[in-house]
Amino acid sequence: MNDKPELVIGVDIGGTNIKYGFINDAGKIIASSTLKTADYPEAEYFVSELYAHLKPSIDKLSASYKIKGIG
């Protein structure tokens, strides 16, 4: 049985900034950051860079939290 508290990852892709955060079930942001949308003219560059930013936090937070999903 997994008794770790749960987190979700939220990603907001805006015209100026891309914001992402790790949020617990009480709505508290545990970790967050932003990227500049204009830095990624092609979708595949954005996806690769977002993954590169998220992966270290996922690895770190997975020790204490269950990552429930991303949206």
Side-chain angles (χ1 to χ4, degrees), residues 15-64:
T16 304
N17 293 303
I18 301 154
K19 299 175 184 179
Y20 64 87
F22 293 78
I23 300 97
N24 70 13
D25 60 355
K28 181 179 178 191
I29 299 171
I30 303 300
S32 66
S33 192
T34 62
L35 305 167
K36 294 288 182 191
T37 305
D39 291 345
Y40 307 99
E42 303 288 331
E44 68 255 20
Y45 300 125
F46 160 68
V47 172
S48 294
E49 192 66 18
L50 180 62
Y51 176 79
H53 280 261
L54 288 174
K55 182 68 170 131
S57 293
I58 291 170
D59 290 344
K60 179 181 176 185
L61 292 169
S62 291
S64 301

